[in-house]
């Protein structure tokens, strides 16, 4: 395939960015999207040009690093996949592809397609932990009986990889889906009850402090989430937050 790539280029956080056009030929349908960018960068390096900076790590849909806004969609046109799992067979010969970084006040651009998502780390540091001592006196996990339905829902919430697609998709740049997933994965388990009230209060307050917007209730975040995190988690977080606030 021969493609026209319109890529956001920005030298650093202080620089003014712009869309730059590139022509790329010989793209195989079975290439991943990141492999296609690797080919482009090899071409740029051979021409003595600065390669396009983009985040990547595992390339297996696990780490959440490869967060790109492709043709107006977080992680591109496919569903239930991250950018590294997106294949070029989703595009046609002669297509024009717009590639941009995730846009949010709380995700400042570092360079080109790389954004600073350390705000997510700070939200997790605010409450994404349990104080139950699990070292030195290890016991079998099944010693604590947990209803399968609760265990399944906790596991579903824990599949969130913190990529930020929910933030990039929301017109208010809300992080409610991410935060609610991190709250839910502990809220549904007995080990997470010790600091349940402090957790939800601290994580929501940190989310607001980072500059994320309010939930729009449109559900776009769930649609674009590569792990299919449910909106039910937001409802659970709201209940947890209201309960914790009333307890004072």
């Amino acid at each position: 395939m021969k493609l026209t790539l319109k890529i956001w280029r920005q030298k650093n956080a202080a620089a003014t960015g712009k869309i730059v056009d590139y022509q790329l030929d010989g793209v195989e349908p079975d290439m991943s999207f990141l492999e296609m960018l690797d080919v482009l960068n090899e071409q740029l390096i051979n021409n003595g040009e600065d390669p396009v900076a983009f985040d990547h790590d595992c390339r297996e849909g696990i780490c959440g690093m490869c967060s790109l806004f492709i043709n107006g969609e977080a992680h591109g046109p496919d569903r239930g996949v991250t950018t590294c799992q997106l294949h070029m067979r989703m595009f046609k010969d002669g297509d024009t592809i717009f590639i941009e970084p995730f846009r949010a006040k709380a995700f400042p651009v570092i360079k080109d397609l790389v954004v600073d998502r350390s705000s997510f780390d700070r939200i997790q540091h605010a409450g994404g932990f349990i104080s139950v001592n699990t070292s030195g006196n290890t016991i079998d996990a099944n010693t604590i009986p947990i209803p399968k339905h609760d265990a399944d829902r906790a596991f579903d919430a824990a599949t969130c990889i913190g990529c930020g697609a929910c933030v990039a998709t929301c017109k208010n740049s809300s992080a409610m889906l991410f935060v609610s997933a991190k709250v839910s994965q502990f809220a549904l388990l007995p080990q997470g009850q010790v600091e349940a009230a402090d957790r939800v209060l601290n994580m929501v307050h940190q989310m607001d402090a980072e500059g994320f917007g309010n939930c729009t209730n449109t559900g776009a975040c769930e649609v674009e989430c590569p792990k299919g995190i449910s909106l039910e988690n937001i409802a659970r977080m709201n209940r947890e937050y209201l309960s914790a606030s009333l307890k004072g």
Side-chain angles (χ1 to χ4, degrees):
M1 294 187 293
K2 184 174 183 179
L3 301 170
T4 298
L5 305 177
K6 291 181 175 288
I7 303 178
W8 182 262
R9 302 302 307 266
Q10 185 171 336
K11 188 174 182 179
N12 53 53
T16 300
K18 63 178 181 179
I19 292 288
V20 178
D21 290 3
Y22 297 98
Q23 300 297 321
L24 190 61
D25 205 349
V27 177
E28 297 291 337
D30 290 333
M31 284 181 178
S32 74
F33 199 86
L34 297 190
E35 286 173 328
M36 180 274 293
L37 289 178
D38 289 337
V39 172
L40 172 66
N41 278 343
E42 184 176 6
Q43 176 179 299
L44 293 176
I45 292 170
N46 289 338
N47 292 337
E49 300 178 55
D50 188 30
V52 177
F54 62 92
D55 265 332
H56 63 95
D57 191 2
C58 73
R59 300 203 178 200
E60 295 178 346
I62 299 171
C63 69
M65 293 288 290
C66 59
S67 300
L68 299 179
F69 213 61
I70 303 165
N71 283 349
E73 295 183 86
H75 295 298
D78 209 350
R79 288 292 174 267
V81 300
T82 54
T83 300
C84 65
Q85 296 173 302
L86 178 68
H87 287 84
M88 298 311 297
R89 53 180 169 267
M90 296 296 297
F91 304 93
K92 301 188 296 293
D93 182 37
D95 274 359
T96 297
I97 305 175
F98 286 82
I99 310 171
E100 300 172 80
F102 280 2
R103 305 285 190 180
K105 177 183 177 182
F107 288 169
V109 174
I110 297 174
K111 181 179 180 180
D112 294 340
L113 305 175
V114 180
V115 299
D116 181 358
R117 285 173 292 173
S118 60
S119 53
F120 271 11
D121 296 330
R122 290 187 289 273
I123 291 172
Q124 292 200 78
H125 293 165
F129 59 88
I130 60 172
S131 60
V132 175
N133 183 9
T134 58
S135 61
N137 187 28
T138 306
I139 58 176
D140 187 84
N142 291 328
T143 300
I144 302 175
I146 300 172
K148 186 178 186 304
H149 182 59
D150 289 344
D152 288 345
R153 288 187 298 165
F155 186 83
D156 288 343
T159 60
C160 170
I161 57 177
C163 67
C166 50
V167 175
T169 300
C170 179
K171 57 189 176 183
N172 284 351
S173 297
S174 172
M176 290 281 279
L177 194 66
F178 164 76
V179 178
S180 67
K182 297 308 174 186
V183 167
S184 291
Q185 72 184 61
F186 294 124
L188 291 161
L189 301 176
Q191 297 94 327
Q193 298 309 309
V194 178
E195 53 273 306
D198 287 340
R199 175 184 300 112
V200 68
L201 291 174
N202 291 340
M203 292 184 78
V204 170
H205 292 166
Q206 187 64 41
M207 173 183 69
D208 292 340
E210 295 292 343
F212 291 104
N214 293 322
C215 178
T216 64
N217 295 314
T218 58
C221 54
E222 181 180 350
V223 173
E224 298 290 353
C225 175
K227 299 302 176 182
I229 302 298
S230 173
L231 291 173
E232 291 180 2
N233 292 298
I234 296 180
R236 183 178 299 108
M237 183 181 73
N238 287 338
R239 291 194 299 270
E240 293 271 330
Y241 185 81
L242 177 60
S243 176
S245 299
L246 294 175
K247 289 179 182 177

